[in-house]
Amino acid sequence: LALVGPVTMDWLARLRPDLTFLGATAVHPKEGLFTTETSEAAVKAEAIRRSRTSYLLADSSKVNALASVHFAG
């Protein structure tokens, strides 16, 4: 389940979270974090930007991989 779209972006604009936990489709040490959906990328980037601290939750199958939409790093 993913929250995306203008309503979600408006909701995020009102928050200042201490912690953000998020996932990624791919994690590359030089290129950064990726997903496959542009709408998810916008929400994830904004959540990271607004949060005091962000944590990535990913297993080893995501490391050294690339996907189509970059959102951080």
Side-chain angles (χ1 to χ4, degrees), residues 22 26-34 44-45 48 69-73:
L22 56 102
V27 180
H28 193 277
K30 292 183 181 174
E31 301 293 328
L33 307 178
F34 294 83
K44 289 177 183 208
I48 290 168
V69 185
H70 179 264
F71 69 88

Side-chain angles (χ1 to χ4, degrees), residues 7-48:
V7 173
T8 301
M9 295 300 285
D10 183 55
W11 174 72
L12 266 177
R14 301 166 198 260
L15 299 177
R16 181 62 73 189
D18 290 328
L19 301 173
T20 295
F21 295 88
L22 56 102
T25 302
V27 180
H28 193 277
K30 292 183 181 174
E31 301 293 328
L33 307 178
F34 294 83
T35 185
T36 56
E37 301 292 330
T38 56
S39 56
E40 284 185 18
V43 170
K44 289 177 183 208
E46 183 66 8
I48 290 168

